[in-house]
Amino acid sequence: NWIREALSAAHQDRLARLLVAVAAAWMFVNLAPFDITVDLGDLAARVRTKRISLVPFGHDLSWPRRIWDVVAETLSAIPLGLLGVSIMQARRRRVWPGAFLVGAAIVIVVEGLQVFIKSHSADTADAMLGSAGVAVGVWMGTRVMREAVLAPSGSPPATMSMRAAAVVGLWCIVLGAYHWVPYDFSIDNDLLRRKLARLSILPFAGYLGGSYLNALNNLLTKLALAIPLGVAAGFVTRHRKLAFSSTTLAWLLSAGALFGLIEAGQLFLPRRNPDPTDVLVGMVGTYVGLSLARWLKAEGRVDPSTGSKTGNKP
């Protein structure tokens, strides 16, 4: 019922619907694979190994991994700030500080729940960085989002959005930063031969090496990273009359080349293993993002019974 109402929502209500779904997906990814423990011995062991830390940045990590964690925690929480802005605007209340409190509350609650998730670490630094991302999202919601996404459909659109193109370029860097951590590139002919020998074109064959819960978590994370690329790409071209199939094909081929390059780069990383499945997952996530962007931009059709516009299904 919620999906049906979202698909038929008015143009100005679609972003709010999408932000609710993004917040739900963010919580799901941060709590997956749901390996919950309430055993006091397990919790005490997690405290001793600093999987639960009240001291910010208490983990002993290499600088590339620490930088990535800071960037990832901040960027991933930005939609929560946008959600807070949407909620405050719907209730016709002041954005600050209500929008920030909504997003920060979600971050803190999820971080508290991670205390009981074996596969995740609970760190006060994550709560701080997430709250910083929420603040960035609130700023974007009040200064940028309305102009970039909710611009009146009657205004003459530009041929190309340089802002969206910049986001596409920035997100390509983010994808490379995630898939190439810890950036210890080296050329080892023996290692290259071993990696190529293990390479399988059978979909999801590389996911069978670990537990199915970790495989699910990896799949969700890589999908979540690819979807913003498709959303940003969908806003690069502002012409509404362009065929969705042609632009989608062009962006999917570009996404395939990007993720193929990323996987090829992993051949030169000793602690990374390339997997053709990740190219497929990246292209699927990009397609989902492109479809979401088309849905956000679509103008409503006129309902003959009421004379008002309703949403078009993508």
Side-chain angles (χ1 to χ4, degrees), residues 98-162:
F100 175 78
L101 292 177
V102 170
I106 297 175
V107 170
I108 293 172
V109 168
V110 169
E111 196 64 32
L113 292 175
Q114 286 181 345
V115 169
F116 306 99
I117 306 294
K118 292 181 181 180
S119 299
H120 291 277
S121 299
D123 193 339
T124 52
D126 294 343
M128 295 166 56
L129 294 171
S131 299
V134 170
V136 173
V138 173
W139 177 84
M140 291 177 61
T142 54
R143 301 290 183 88
V144 180
M145 183 179 68
R146 195 180 311 170
E147 173 188 351
V149 181
L150 299 180
S153 58
S155 59
T159 303
M160 180 177 179
S161 170
M162 297 306 299

Side-chain angles (χ1 to χ4, degrees), residues 135-207:
V136 173
V138 173
W139 177 84
M140 291 177 61
T142 54
R143 301 290 183 88
V144 180
M145 183 179 68
R146 195 180 311 170
E147 173 188 351
V149 181
L150 299 180
S153 58
S155 59
T159 303
M160 180 177 179
S161 170
M162 297 306 299
R163 182 177 295 167
V167 172
V168 170
L170 175 62
W171 204 254
C172 290
I173 297 175
V174 171
L175 289 170
Y178 170 76
H179 288 90
W180 287 345
V181 172
Y183 319 119
D184 51 345
F185 290 94
S186 64
I187 299 178
D188 186 336
N189 293 330
D190 293 335
L191 180 62
L192 286 175
R193 283 193 291 267
R194 289 196 299 269
K195 285 188 175 184
L196 290 173
R198 294 195 303 263
L199 203 63
S200 173
I201 61 173
L202 186 66
F204 299 101
Y207 285 65

Side-chain angles (χ1 to χ4, degrees), residues 62-69 169-186 192 195 221-222 225 255-275 278-279:
S62 61
W63 69 266
R65 184 56 187 267
R66 190 177 297 280
I67 291 176
W68 165 252
D69 285 350
L170 175 62
W171 204 254
C172 290
I173 297 175
V174 171
L175 289 170
Y178 170 76
H179 288 90
W180 287 345
V181 172
Y183 319 119
D184 51 345
F185 290 94
S186 64
L192 286 175
K195 285 188 175 184
T221 301
K222 290 171 182 177
L225 283 169
L258 170 65
F259 288 104
L261 176 63
I262 289 174
E263 294 303 309
Q266 291 183 350
L267 289 170
F268 305 96
L269 293 167
R271 284 175 280 184
R272 288 282 187 169
N273 292 310
D275 189 348
D278 291 342
V279 179

